[in-house]
Amino acid sequence: MNRTLAQWAGQARWRGAWGWLWLVALTGCRGEQSMLNTHSPTAQAIEGLWWWMFYGAAAVLVVVMSLAFYAIYRQPERRGAISATKFVLAGGVLLPVAALTPLLVFGLGVGYRAYLIDPEALTVDVIAHRFWWEVRYPGASPGDTLVTANELRIPAGQQVRVRLHSEDVIHSFWVPSLAGKLDVIPGRVNQLQLQAQTPGIFRGQCAEFCGALHAHMEFYVIALEPEQFQRWRQRQARGGRAPEREALKQGQQAFMAQGCGDCHRIRGSEAQGSGGPDLTHVASRYSLGLGRTGRITVDDFENWIVSKEHLLQPQAEMPAYDQLAPEELRSIALYLESLQ
Amino acid sequence: MMGGEHPGQGAPEASRAEQLHRRFEKIWGTPPGLAQLSVVNHSNVSRRFIITGFVFFLLGGLQAMLLRTHLARPNNDFLDHEVYNQLFTMHGTTMMFLFAVPVLEGIAFYLLPKMIGSRDMLYPRLSAYGYWCYLFGGILLYSSFVVGSVPDAGWFMYVPLASSEYTPGLNSDFWLLGITFVEISAVSAGIELVATILKARAPGMGVNRMPLFAWYMLVTGFMIILGFPPLILGSILLELERAFGWPFFMVGQGGDPLLWQHLFWLFGHPEVYIIFLPAAGIVTMAVATFARHPVVGYSWVVLAVVATGFISFMIWVHHMYTVGLPQVAQGFFSAASMGVAIPSGIQVFVWIATLWLGRAQMRVPMLFLMGFLFIFVLGGLTGVMLALASFDWQVHDTHFVVAHLHYVLIGGMLFPFFAGLYYWLPLMSGREYSELFGRLAFWLLFIGFNITFLPMHLIGMLGMTRRTYTYPEGLGWEIINLISTVGGFLMAAGVAAFVMDLYLHYRFGQRATANGWGAGTLEWSLRHPAPSYNFISLPQIRDRYPLWQNPKLPQELAQGQGFLADPGRGERETLGTSMLDAKPEYVVRLPRNTYLPLLLALATALLFVGLLIKQYWLVPMAAVLMVAGVWCWLWDRGIKQAPLVVDAGQGLTLPLQYSHPRGPGWWAMGLSILADLSLYGSLLFGYLFLWTVAPAWPPPDFGALPWLVPSLGLGGLILSSVAMGWAGRQLRVGSLPRLRLGYGLAILLALAYGVSQVLLLRDAPYGPQQHAYGAILHALVGCHLLHVGLVVLMACFILARSAYGYVVSDKPMEVTNVSLFWHYVVLQCLVGYVALHLLPLLM
């Protein structure tokens, strides 16, 4: 992976889990899409819940299995005398009631706080498509709405209200480091409160099976310092940069000639399609489909358009443009790469 | 087919037992060659269920191995996403619908009559029909591989992904129709289990003396009867949407995709316990035998099982925590789901206490039981975690859930299934198993299973969602996936060892000694392998463990010192006893081998194939064939020449079931009505659910429903019920002409009601395709019409029978049954009227 996430190193909180410790160590629990590496109060509360339940469950398992082995292998003469009724009542009724009542009360409290929605918070609309995420920051007027794709930039330390919409089937919005998942259901608008305590990049993924390329429906939540976020927002609000260099102008022409603008929008140009992702600032994004992340290069754009090694299947709406002449392809890629 | 002898028999007794055996075998035995297709005996049919189910298990396992192989490496190109999505859909579907449920039904069918002292299930032809439906439905589903339209929307078929817009091919249709076809066998098995357990127990086996397995299956039977219809209804609605554009689930037209989720999980959660309870029943039986101690806390177990049955219908929403439900609902369902821990805990501690008080011997079945205990308790504990909504938001739809459900299902079903097979194998085959291969199979399965699925919890928490056909490097998922795959191969080796063991067993196994385990329940009193007729004579039961109470019982029964020991009448007979205390009530004459179940299943197959390939002219044709089949099926019951009373042995004279007002047929009718009630209730639920999401109901452009004609029609229908009641009383006093008059009147009134309903639809502003309201209105009215048509047919059947002299006052059963169903249908139409016409006025 071409990325450093140094800011995480200091925060990875380790809590021992003897049974699984070696496994965790083996794989390096630094995962960027992990509910055990949390960066919001909600996710941390749920992680805490997990560790309580993990130790409790481990204890119950050990006790039950020990009793079973004792009951089988201890010589009958030496076994302690039990009253069957008391034994069954203690293990089958008292134990679960005593253990689960506090868990339920505590767990429901966690759930209640997680669902509190602050109506004043910054609001972002996320629209799930097969197989990508459209992200809209509503402005003062509809024309000011800022549109991007597959990444959700938020100011760190602040509450963000995410409204979830689906254009087609059911999806599920999940960024485990920040919050539990919430389904994205056609005909309904579900709301999720999102907060990242510190700046960072958090991977998310569609969690409800949505068809052919469900596995590729990932996205990133990028938490920025609030000033940084404001700067990014202002930059994104501008229209797409008109090409100045000749090569880029050719690229733009080729882009229009190939009909890319029928599906994609580049604000400030004649490309005003709405079926596919908005490309106004595509080159400033953190990821470009199929796991490509970091600084996106001209080659990345080329590969994406023809999708040589990748899988733009019929079910994803964009066809593979593998008939383009090499120079035409290059110029479109150059143009896209200029859309910072 | 000769089995081991019981020890200590003298020569004359042995030869008398042998002679009786041959005579009973002549009545009950299996014909040779192709005629086996006509077999209805429970031992044969159940073996078919088990073997077919095991074949599907191997197929589902093969699919799982392909999936695991593919996931061994990131960005693997071993499979493409299309095949991957098909395989995981078919793996889940196969294991749930074509393996777990049918195999457990098979085991229950095989064991129950033997455990409760009956010669067969109460409806042998229905068992056979159920088997054929299962087989043909499974074949129909798998034929999707042949035409290349394999279902690929996941085994719970969420809409709109599974709807025609996003799955335009036949993929989902194969699933919906194939599974509905298979479900016929499940529902019929549920009815049969309940009726047989309640009515065919040996004399003296009151409900408090039943083997606990019978209690487990009784509750399971009820759960099947109530739990499967929501899925069947959901499948019908989705198929109506896909084939004819009735928009039940389409957002733009007043439908709601969440309705599908509710209907699916209303079935889907009870389904988990429908799979677990029979397995827990197996565990309970085997624990008593291997501990050599009666199960402690019999009533606690019964209470726990019944409680599990109830709770399982109240927790379906815990599969839907992430759809955005109100907090209150999430809290309620969290609490209810955790509540399952109590009955489960009671059972676990009952098993441990029984072992504690007994002297356990560690044979192969016991090994599997211990494996079960570990895996199931672990799966139960993660289940408690998932019950908590807030935790579930994180791990829902990840590999954590995949791991959990495999712990619960493999732990809760597969390990007990293997334990049960090893335990009852000597009874089924008359041979001993090999301790060596059995242990090898166990350790491979146990170790392989835990290596596969324990790390899978972790990978889910590290963010790996389920149903993703590929994953990138660098997220920390590579090594865990590889470990899981290695574990999967170990498990596969375990299954191979088991198959090997089974082969060696049937080929070279040593003859089993009778009741080698020293078990206490009735099935072990049979000769090994168990004969087709089970018991030469039926016992009088005085204890929960009859063989521990009277070790000589097997010899006594084999020599005919029990009920119905005389094969002289040449009929297949068993006893019907009262529900609670098992007092003999009547002798049940069971049908002999017949091809009718097979033919009827073929006609049913024609119906489903017609729907699948959209050749709708086949449907009425198949319906006519099915009606004809059922007509013949019923016609040969209630035989005219049959005596009113027969000698049941032991000085007891009993009526035949035809002369008894509460014969097996009445129970079948009552239980079928229960299943139908669940189906209709689900449809009403759909109506009310769509109402809650609609801004106005009926929609403004639809306007209010007309009330005059439907009200008149309903009034007539209620009168028809009165006419039926009057006709039934006329039969009791022996007046056939008045009976016919009453029936004729009732039929006319019912037909008038039908006309009123057709007019209602004709005058509606729009049909079923424009809006979900139109669709559900047509579905409800269609349901009423179908039912009214059915009762009219039944009444015609009675009229025809009366013309041939079958309907007489001392054999009132069929008239009673038709009246019962008639009143039920009238009630249903009345409820439908209230829902369609009155409720919108009140709101």
Side-chain angles (χ1 to χ4, degrees), chain A:
Chain A
M1 300 299 293
N2 50 358
R3 146 197 15 227
T4 56
L5 293 160
Q7 62 264 51
W8 288 7
Q11 293 169 16
R13 288 186 305 132
W14 277 80
R15 302 188 201 181
W18 15 278
W20 290 3
L21 194 61
W22 62 278
L23 267 179
V24 179
L26 216 55
T27 54
C29 183
R30 205 197 53 169
E32 49 185 322
Q33 186 171 306
S34 166
M35 61 159 286
L36 302 179
N37 185 349
T38 47
H39 295 266
S40 80
T42 305
Q44 276 159 5
I46 297 175
E47 192 193 345
L49 211 53
W50 152 251
W51 288 113
W52 277 106
M53 293 194 296
F54 172 75
Y55 289 122
V60 171
L61 185 65
V62 168
V63 167
V64 169
M65 290 316 290
S66 309
L67 286 174
F69 277 108
Y70 178 86
I72 291 172
Y73 287 111
R74 186 75 178 157
Q75 285 160 318
E77 307 76 52
R78 297 197 179 173
R79 276 175 211 161
I82 51 164
S83 143
T85 312
K86 282 183 190 156
F87 185 75
V88 170
L89 276 182
V93 181
L94 277 184
L95 176 71
V97 170
L100 296 184
T101 310
L103 177 65
L104 185 68
V105 171
F106 186 61
L108 291 183
V110 168
Y112 177 73
R113 285 188 293 278
Y115 252 65
L116 291 176
I117 303 283
D118 176 8
E120 301 295 310
L122 168 70
T123 300
V124 186
D125 289 294
V126 170
I127 300 134
H129 301 264
R130 301 211 308 168
F131 300 94
W132 60 283
W133 302 88
E134 181 180 345
V135 180
R136 305 174 79 94
Y137 296 78
S141 71
D144 295 341
T145 300
L146 191 159
V147 187
T148 175
N150 294 333
E151 66 181 44
L152 176 59
R153 298 208 184 206
I154 58 172
Q158 295 180 14
Q159 299 278 8
V160 178
R161 178 166 67 136
V162 181
R163 287 194 296 222
L164 299 165
H165 317 255
S166 169
E167 288 285 286
D168 37 52
V169 302
I170 299 175
H171 303 270
S172 191
F173 181 91
W174 187 39
V175 198
S177 297
L178 302 182
K181 60 184 69 64
L182 190 57
D183 290 354
V184 190
I185 303 171
R188 281 162 205 261
V189 181
N190 278 335
Q191 298 194 55
L192 185 73
Q193 189 90 325
L194 214 56
Q195 186 194 1
Q197 287 166 324
T198 49
I201 301 171
F202 311 101
R203 192 176 192 268
Q205 194 166 358
C206 172
E208 180 64 61
F209 180 62
C210 58
L213 298 183
H214 165 61
H216 292 297
M217 233 180 118
E218 75 259 19
F219 62 97
Y220 294 87
V221 172
I222 301 172
L224 303 169
E225 294 293 355
E227 325 68 88
Q228 232 180 334
F229 173 75
Q230 286 309 332
R231 278 204 298 281
W232 171 81
R233 208 177 163 172
Q234 283 156 11
R235 230 183 13 252
Q236 295 282 314
R238 291 185 211 126
R241 191 196 304 178
E244 289 151 14
R245 295 204 331 242
E246 193 51 37
L248 300 183
K249 279 186 183 153
Q250 276 175 15
Q252 191 187 33
Q253 278 161 12
F255 182 89
M256 303 302 168
Q258 287 296 334
C260 305
D262 295 346
C263 292
H264 296 285
R265 170 175 296 148
I266 296 174
R267 272 173 284 135
S269 81
E270 55 197 271
Q272 291 296 326
S274 59
D278 186 302
L279 299 181
T280 310
H281 296 284
V282 64
S284 71
R285 286 186 199 150
Y286 176 69
S287 73
L288 179 72
L290 302 176
R292 257 192 217 96
T293 49
R295 167 113 178 84
I296 301 164
T297 64
V298 179
D299 286 344
D300 287 337
F301 279 113
E302 267 193 30
N303 287 335
W304 175 255
I305 295 166
V306 300
S307 65
K308 271 181 213 143
E309 29 161 338
H310 297 304
L311 313 129
L312 281 179
Q313 296 295 341
Q315 291 201 41
E317 307 243 330
M318 181 163 155
Y321 281 86
D322 46 7
Q323 310 294 324
L324 291 176
E327 53 278 14
E328 199 173 14
L329 176 63
R330 188 77 190 169
S331 67
I332 294 177
L334 273 169
Y335 170 59
L336 291 175
E337 200 269 340
S338 76
L339 295 173
Q340 291 288 341

Side-chain angles (χ1 to χ4, degrees), chain B residues 215-228:
Chain B
W215 269 110
Y216 276 98
M217 289 318 301
L218 180 65
V219 173
T220 307
F222 274 114
M223 289 173 64
I224 292 176
I225 291 173
L226 296 172
F228 273 83

Side-chain angles (χ1 to χ4, degrees), chain B residues 529-601:
Chain B
S532 54
Y533 54 84
N534 287 350
F535 296 90
I536 282 176
S537 60
L538 303 180
Q540 173 77 40
I541 300 296
R542 297 185 179 84
D543 193 90
R544 283 178 193 156
Y545 298 89
L547 299 195
W548 287 345
Q549 184 236 353
N550 173 16
K552 283 208 158 67
L553 189 68
Q555 291 89 322
E556 292 172 16
L557 295 180
Q559 287 158 29
Q561 299 170 24
F563 298 97
L564 292 176
D566 179 13
R569 288 191 286 270
E571 292 284 347
R572 296 188 175 185
E573 289 175 340
T574 193
L575 278 180
T577 52
S578 61
M579 184 174 81
L580 291 180
D581 46 6
K583 289 207 180 84
E585 284 184 335
Y586 43 76
V587 171
V588 183
R589 230 169 232 194
L590 295 168
R592 290 167 163 274
N593 292 344
T594 158
Y595 289 99
L596 263 178
L598 176 59
L599 295 174
L600 189 60

Side-chain angles (χ1 to χ4, degrees), chain B residues 344-531:
Chain B
S344 309
I346 288 176
Q347 291 170 70
V348 166
F349 280 85
V350 160
W351 296 325
I352 295 177
T354 306
L355 291 168
W356 192 305
L357 296 174
R359 292 169 165 267
Q361 36 167 270
M362 258 317 196
R363 304 290 299 277
V364 170
M366 196 59 206
L367 267 183
F368 275 100
L369 291 183
M370 290 304 284
F372 150 79
L373 192 67
F374 175 79
I375 297 174
F376 177 72
V377 170
L378 207 164
L381 289 166
T382 53
V384 168
M385 299 176 187
L386 289 167
L388 196 56
S390 44
F391 179 69
D392 182 74
W393 297 333
Q394 281 287 19
V395 291
H396 177 74
D397 270 333
T398 68
H399 272 73
F400 187 95
V401 169
V402 177
H404 160 75
L405 73 91
H406 283 90
Y407 264 83
V408 175
L409 290 173
I410 293 186
M413 185 272 164
L414 195 68
F415 276 72
F417 167 66
F418 279 126
L421 272 187
Y422 276 107
Y423 174 51
W424 280 295
L425 211 48
L427 184 65
M428 284 174 132
S429 66
R431 293 169 186 274
E432 302 282 6
Y433 66 86
S434 124
E435 193 77 22
L436 182 71
F437 269 95
R439 281 173 189 271
L440 180 69
F442 168 76
W443 285 112
L444 283 170
L445 277 168
F446 183 75
I447 295 171
F449 172 82
N450 284 295
I451 293 181
T452 311
F453 292 105
L454 194 61
M456 213 178 261
H457 293 99
L458 178 60
I459 207 173
M461 293 195 292
L462 292 183
M464 185 158 169
T465 53
R466 72 197 283 202
R467 301 176 165 183
T468 43
Y469 78 96
T470 189
Y471 57 94
E473 290 170 76
L475 294 171
W477 302 347
E478 297 93 331
I479 293 169
I480 305 182
N481 268 310
L482 189 62
I483 293 172
S484 280
T485 302
V486 171
F489 277 94
L490 272 183
M491 263 188 96
V495 173
F498 172 76
V499 173
M500 183 66 150
D501 191 19
L502 216 54
Y503 170 76
L504 292 175
H505 169 90
Y506 274 92
R507 191 84 177 72
F508 304 108
Q510 289 181 335
R511 296 255 174 251
T513 49
N515 194 8
W517 307 117
T521 40
L522 215 46
E523 77 273 24
W524 293 103
S525 70
L526 307 180
R527 56 163 63 209
H528 303 353

Side-chain angles (χ1 to χ4, degrees), chain B residues 109-128:
Chain B
F109 275 28
Y110 185 81
L111 290 175
L112 265 178
K114 300 176 173 66
M115 275 184 188
I116 62 174
S118 168
R119 289 205 176 115
D120 206 333
M121 301 292 287
L122 275 184
Y123 318 114
R125 293 180 300 181
L126 188 65
S127 325

